Amino acid sequence: MSGTDDAAEREALLGKLTLREKVRLLTGATTWRTRAEPALGLREMVLSDGPAGVRGQSWDERDPALLLPSASALGALWDEDMVERLGGLLAAEARRKGVDVVLAPTLNLHRTPLGGRHFECFSEDPWLTGRTGAALVRGIQAHGVAATAKHYVANDSETDRLTVDVRVSERVLREVYLAPFEAAVEAGVRVVMAGYNGVDGATMTASPLLAEPLKGEWGFEGVVVSDWGAVRNGEESACAALDLAMPGPESAWGEALVRAVDEGRVSREAVDEKVRRLLALAAVRGALGEPGVAPGAPSAAEREPEPEPEPLLEPSCVSGAPVSVSDSGAQTSLVPAAADPQPELPCVPVMSSSDPQPQPEPQPQPPGGPATRESRSEARTQAPCGPPMHDVPAAERRAGPPRVPAAAKPAPERAGREEAHALLREAVAASTVLLCNRGVLPIDPARLRTVAVIGEHAVRPRTQGGGSAGVFPERVVTPLDGIRDALGDGVRVVHVPGPSTGAPAAPLAPDLCTDPVTGEPGVRLRVLDPEGLELLTEHRLGGRQLEPPLPPGAHTVEIAALLLPRTSGPWTLGVGGFGRLSVAVDQRVVLQGEFDKQTDDPAVVHVNPPVHDATVHLTAGRVVSVVARRELAPGTGRATVVTAAPPHPEDGPALAEAVRAARDADAAIVVVGTTEHGESEGCDRTDLGLGGRQDELVHAVTAAAPHTVVVVNSGGPVELPWRARAGAVLLTWFPGQEGGAGLADVLFGRAEPGGRLPTTWPAALADAPVTRTRPENGHLDYAEGLHIGYRAWARHDREPAYWFGHGLGFTTWAYDGLRVPDDIVAGESFTVRVTVRNTGPRRGREVVQVYLAGPPGPPDRPERWLAGYAAVTAEPGERATVDVRIPARALRHWAEDALAWRTRPGPYRVLAGSSAGALPLTATASVRAAR
């Protein structure tokens, strides 16, 4: 039965399992792996976070991944073919890393501009989100990897996300928040993730919505997995349609579920159905084969020595995203390439090599002196005693590289890393939104002698948002890198950082420090026992260690580095984590204290622990030793972060320098953006400001140089109070690792900015119709109903800064004609024909958008809603006609009294144009009832 996908054969396998064996399969074996059952030929399946990239089973900067543009950038593409290609790239990365299930796409909506996780979601519109998400699902699953639609459902903000109960009507759920998930099911998605939140009184892991409409009405045949640690009530979730509790090895099920079945509180059939679905997923992934034989296992001659199991997080944790570190210098990989061949998937570019497994290193002299069995008293003075780690299972404390499933072993063929980079670069330009242009873009390189690039984000951009969806990128092309590479040696490119952005100190990076043992760029990681004796030591590349290996007896995590300051003055040094923390500089303790855990949110505990810092005066060029320690305590995770920030420049002189540089240059480009204080999993935003004095910087520079191009580096809306004064404004989102290269392509006209806004941008937060994210008494009422995003702006007759769908190219367009069918039958799709004309000087692409409105009378409907879109390309002066298909569902509404979909006959307005606020063409279509 090798690779069987036959239901009858799987049913026979199911019959061989005892109840206890079945229940054991329903909880993960580890944080990222399902359980194996050799008697059935069932191997483990590996899950990994997405959608920005595929991290694999561990947070290890030595094993980087390709970093895609953020989901909000993918939403700005309005191009399903491009999204499918990017999905194929995710699949290739998954195959390379031995991953069976990618936890992407995120199908929650931009309900309010304050949502902290907008970067991970596609848009504010259910139809655009559904089409984009379905395309990503198709792209991932076309290459044999399972995609996951998350977070089902109404998990649209971060405040109190573990406990919030969302109150929303069934009609609004059906028409708005469930719609993208329905589209994913229609696309064949194989896994759906139930969120942390509740809806109308039921937590999602025990919600009746898992059964209906998901598995019943929609016919979803895959696996419903919990978000990590989201199962609270074992019996309620077991009786619901949840299939897999993650992470493992412990969960609310286990022996408690066995007893509940034996005592009749949970049916045996409910358990059997969950196992059936897991076996079906395993069959699709090639994880189910001959009993006693691992599917796809190599021969004895092919088999490599088996590594130790990877150290894993605590059972209750999730993993998260370190912020990438970029240097303004050459575009080099962070790690050397190995000679191991990589897989090649049809038409999918992947990296051509992987990184070598870390080699054993000699036992070093630790900072401050040796810690050996012969020097216990000295070791005690280095690491005071504290509580041992009781909450990490022994099996998860062992160090070693991840175990790759045999079925996912790399094939001998190689595919080009350059091809992958080229696709990501193309996606950056295609998703970049040109918000306004006063004849400045594109810039002609031939007229340039000096270019001023201004802003901290030009050298340290935000390539991804914070939280569990991030990866360690294999490289980062900064805006400054991209501009310099595009212009070459013939143009002088000057960088001026400007005043501080107010960003938190970055983790120690290889360009700032060296390992005190080997002298290599990076840090020294050590794990100590309660007496200060060394249990583990290894070289690491940076100061953000979210999953330091924990051998048995682990008590203290230590990160040490030799720091080389480039500027003199007050440096800010910090350590992130919980419990007893300390930082010493040249053996002098500068920070020490006990810092309690203030939240159970896994994004904070395991991904972004709070950093506590101290100010130390350092001298440029004088190396200092920095040693940070964190004692491990039960229930507080293990993530340890060491940060360092140079002295902030004085704002006045920094601002004056930026103005001077812009005035003296032939072109000025200012890069501004959000910081790690906002746009992160686990917290919502409190305002839409850029932070620091960035707005003042743009005001000053544009006053001195009116043709300045402003580049906005954010995952979601920000206020742009200077937008009317800028020569041009570009929105690059969180563009991923190739952001600087794609930006340069747009700036200098090598590519047209192809993006269109997937969410409406307010001029000021006070103008936004829907802003509430904070629950009251545990409840968050979606009182706005159907009216979110552009729908709410239209209903309240308000004018935003930029409408949903807005985006300019390097040419202009006229909308010349709109034709609609004479007769439209309810329940049937129809086609709208739109004629446009390229009135500008260049070949270009236009996204033609079609909205519907009406008919008058009940039920309540939005003023207008997106019904379809299509892209058209034309030469200068050329007229083009595009057919836009309008699906039958665009006309329907959910009738709560009948618990069914209905389409009201009557006249509907059909509107066509370039955004939700620019719809010059209008026609009336008559819809009649089906016979």
Side-chain angles (χ1 to χ4, degrees):
M1 293 186 300
S2 178
T4 180
D5 60 359
D6 184 84
E9 292 175 333
R10 293 197 300 273
E11 197 67 22
L13 293 177
L14 177 65
K16 297 179 179 180
L17 297 174
T18 66
L19 173 62
R20 183 166 278 100
E21 289 170 336
K22 293 173 184 176
V23 169
R24 187 168 62 237
L25 291 177
L26 303 183
T27 294
T30 67
T31 304
W32 297 112
R33 283 177 272 173
T34 63
R35 291 187 183 274
E37 184 51 72
L40 302 186
L42 174 66
R43 67 160 170 84
E44 298 170 324
M45 289 182 285
V46 177
L47 298 86
S48 177
D49 268 319
V54 181
R55 186 175 59 253
Q57 295 185 66
S58 65
W59 280 107
D60 191 330
E61 73 281 8
R62 299 165 299 184
D63 181 24
L66 291 173
L67 175 59
L68 278 65
S70 63
S72 53
L74 270 57
L77 290 169
W78 296 61
D79 183 344
E80 287 145 82
D81 290 340
M82 172 67 79
V83 174
E84 283 196 38
R85 291 168 65 197
L86 292 168
L89 190 58
L90 286 174
E93 283 285 274
R95 293 274 296 273
R96 183 176 72 87
K97 287 176 172 277
V99 169
D100 298 283
V101 180
V102 175
L103 303 180
T106 301
L107 298 179
N108 305 115
L109 299 181
H110 298 175
R111 173 179 165 265
T112 158
L114 292 175
R117 212 169 175 179
H118 274 358
F119 61 87
E120 198 179 322
C121 309
F122 296 121
S123 86
E124 69 188 17
D125 182 78
W127 178 234
L128 178 61
T129 295
R131 283 183 62 168
T132 307
L136 195 69
V137 167
R138 292 192 298 269
I140 293 171
Q141 296 191 167
H143 302 285
V145 177
T148 305
K150 64 181 186 182
H151 309 83
Y152 189 85
V153 61
N155 189 174
D156 308 295
S157 54
E158 297 296 289
T159 305
D160 296 342
R161 66 181 181 137
L162 303 184
T163 57
V164 63
D165 181 33
V166 173
R167 298 300 173 92
V168 56
S169 73
E170 183 172 0
R171 183 184 174 203
V172 173
L173 263 180
R174 288 279 191 157
E175 294 186 28
V176 180
Y177 298 100
L178 285 169
F181 290 93
E182 184 177 8
V185 171
E186 290 176 354
V189 72
R190 296 194 174 108
V191 181
V192 170
M193 180 190 291
Y196 291 116
N197 62 297
V199 172
D200 294 328
T203 186
M204 281 312 306
T205 52
S207 172
L209 293 170
L210 299 180
E212 293 292 345
L214 179 59
K215 288 185 174 180
E217 178 186 330
W218 297 350
F220 174 62
E221 297 179 347
V223 170
V224 177
V225 62
S226 72
D227 205 338
W228 268 229
V231 177
R232 287 127 187 174
N233 186 300
E235 289 188 21
E236 288 182 4
S237 58
C239 291
L242 186 75
D243 300 311
L244 176 63
M246 290 295 288
E250 305 297 331
S251 80
W253 285 354
E255 285 300 314
L257 179 53
V258 173
R259 289 193 300 272
V261 173
D262 285 340
E263 295 169 9
R265 297 191 302 277
V266 176
S267 72
R268 289 180 181 270
E269 176 55 30
V271 172
D272 285 352
E273 177 60 17
K274 300 177 196 301
V275 177
R276 284 189 192 99
R277 289 173 177 267
L278 282 169
L279 293 179
L281 176 64
V284 169
R285 282 298 303 125
L288 186 61
E290 289 290 345
V293 178
S299 67
E302 298 171 324
R303 200 171 294 132
E304 298 177 359
E306 184 172 309
E308 290 288 325
E310 171 67 15
L312 296 161
L313 295 174
E314 298 165 343
S316 63
C317 76
V318 301
S319 74
V323 177
S324 61
V325 176
S326 162
D327 191 294
S328 60
Q331 303 168 23
T332 56
S333 176
L334 293 176
V335 292
D340 294 339
Q342 298 303 316
E344 181 176 14
L345 301 180
C347 303
V348 181
V350 300
M351 293 171 57
S352 61
S353 62
S354 66
D355 303 297
Q357 296 294 342
Q359 298 300 312
E361 298 177 290
Q363 295 295 317
Q365 293 271 329
T372 65
R373 292 294 173 187
E374 290 74 35
S375 58
R376 287 179 179 269
S377 61
E378 181 178 355
R380 288 192 188 99
T381 65
Q382 295 173 23
C385 292
M389 280 294 286
H390 297 300
D391 59 341
V392 180
E396 296 204 7
R397 295 190 219 130
R398 296 192 295 266
R403 183 175 183 177
V404 177
K409 279 186 68 66
E413 299 85 1
R414 294 174 180 240
R417 176 181 301 186
E418 293 79 9
E419 294 176 5
H421 294 173
L423 175 58
L424 295 179
R425 179 173 181 165
E426 180 184 354
V428 172
S431 63
T432 295
V433 180
L434 180 55
L435 294 176
C436 64
N437 186 18
R438 296 173 176 86
V440 174
L441 291 177
I443 299 171
D444 180 5
R447 68 172 183 82
L448 300 177
R449 290 171 299 174
T450 301
V451 174
V453 181
I454 299 167
E456 286 189 18
H457 282 78
V459 293
R460 295 196 180 277
R462 290 203 72 184
T463 56
Q464 59 186 321
S468 60
V471 300
F472 286 103
E474 62 162 15
R475 72 175 195 177
V476 170
V477 182
T478 70
L480 183 61
D481 291 336
I483 291 168
R484 282 180 169 160
D485 288 348
L487 295 178
D489 296 334
V491 179
R492 179 170 174 259
V493 179
V494 178
H495 176 250
V496 178
S500 171
T501 63
L508 282 175
D511 62 343
L512 192 61
C513 61
T514 58
D515 183 330
V517 175
T518 66
E520 299 173 89
V523 304
R524 171 62 41 175
L525 172 67
R526 297 200 309 151
V527 180
L528 311 175
D529 73 3
E531 298 181 358
L533 302 180
E534 186 177 276
L535 301 176
L536 177 143
T537 179
E538 62 184 12
H539 172 71
R540 301 301 291 260
L541 295 176
R544 188 165 194 156
Q545 298 298 324
L546 301 185
E547 293 180 344
L550 298 184
H555 175 273
T556 300
V557 175
E558 177 189 276
I559 297 175
L562 297 178
L563 176 65
L564 178 61
R566 295 171 183 165
T567 56
S568 298
W571 280 67
T572 304
L573 304 179
V575 59
F578 301 96
R580 187 169 181 80
L581 307 174
S582 67
V583 177
V585 178
D586 284 344
Q587 300 185 2
R588 179 174 67 90
V589 175
V590 298
L591 181 147
Q592 185 169 273
E594 193 83 26
F595 302 95
D596 295 335
K597 186 179 71 169
Q598 301 296 321
T599 178
D600 290 324
D601 192 309
V604 177
V605 175
H606 303 290
V607 181
N608 293 316
V611 173
H612 307 277
D613 54 42
T615 301
V616 182
H617 191 281
L618 302 179
T619 302
R622 181 182 177 276
V623 176
V624 296
S625 168
V626 177
V627 179
R629 284 180 174 160
R630 175 198 172 165
E631 293 184 8
L632 301 169
T636 63
R638 68 174 98 168
T640 307
V641 183
V642 182
T643 63
H648 290 306
E650 293 185 32
D651 287 346
L655 201 58
E657 184 185 9
V659 169
R660 253 190 328 270
R663 186 183 293 123
D664 295 343
D666 301 305
I669 301 161
V670 181
V671 187
V672 295
T674 56
T675 71
E676 286 72 16
H677 284 309
E679 296 201 275
S680 179
E681 179 180 356
C683 61
D684 289 313
R685 301 159 74 189
T686 57
D687 60 57
L688 300 181
L690 285 172
R693 299 182 66 181
Q694 294 185 87
D695 287 333
E696 187 176 348
L697 171 67
V698 178
H699 275 297
V701 171
T702 54
H707 296 300
T708 297
V709 178
V710 183
V711 178
V712 180
N713 176 201
S714 70
V718 293
E719 294 173 350
L720 309 174
W722 34 259
R723 65 188 185 281
R725 301 178 60 176
V729 180
L730 283 169
L731 169 60
T732 62
W733 311 101
F734 294 154
Q737 68 178 58
E738 303 299 315
L743 170 63
D745 289 341
V746 170
L747 288 171
F748 304 116
R750 297 175 181 173
E752 184 180 39
R756 302 296 185 268
L757 285 179
T759 193
T760 304
W761 277 44
L765 176 59
D767 299 335
V770 181
T771 59
R772 186 176 163 211
T773 62
R774 184 166 297 280
E776 293 182 3
N777 300 319
H779 306 307
L780 183 59
D781 188 1
Y782 282 18
E784 68 280 353
L786 303 170
H787 310 287
I788 64 170
Y790 67 90
R791 300 176 177 192
W793 287 89
R795 186 176 185 83
H796 291 276
D797 196 24
R798 298 181 185 178
E799 188 73 19
Y802 302 106
W803 282 96
F804 170 83
H806 171 75
L808 306 176
F810 288 152
T811 189
T812 54
W813 297 89
Y815 279 72
D816 289 345
L818 171 64
R819 292 180 58 188
V820 300
D822 295 329
D823 184 47
I824 299 173
V825 178
E828 296 180 5
S829 64
F830 61 96
T831 299
V832 170
R833 180 160 291 180
V834 181
T835 301
V836 296
R837 180 167 38 93
N838 184 341
T839 58
R842 290 176 53 130
R843 184 176 189 270
R845 171 182 178 267
E846 175 73 340
V847 177
V848 176
Q849 302 163 41
V850 175
Y851 296 76
L852 296 178
D860 177 45
R861 301 292 290 264
E863 296 295 313
R864 52 187 175 272
W865 63 94
L866 181 68
Y869 60 89
V872 61
T873 301
E875 300 293 334
E878 183 182 4
R879 180 176 275 104
T881 298
V882 60
D883 290 336
V884 182
R885 179 182 174 274
I886 309 300
R889 70 178 59 199
L891 296 168
R892 69 185 187 177
H893 67 274
W894 182 258
E896 291 183 318
D897 55 348
L899 297 179
W901 291 104
R902 296 285 187 262
T903 299
R904 185 181 174 193
Y908 286 76
R909 283 191 304 143
V910 181
L911 307 98
S914 59
S915 77
L919 300 167
L921 302 180
T922 304
T924 299
S926 179
V927 178
R928 63 176 174 85
R931 295 175 182 172

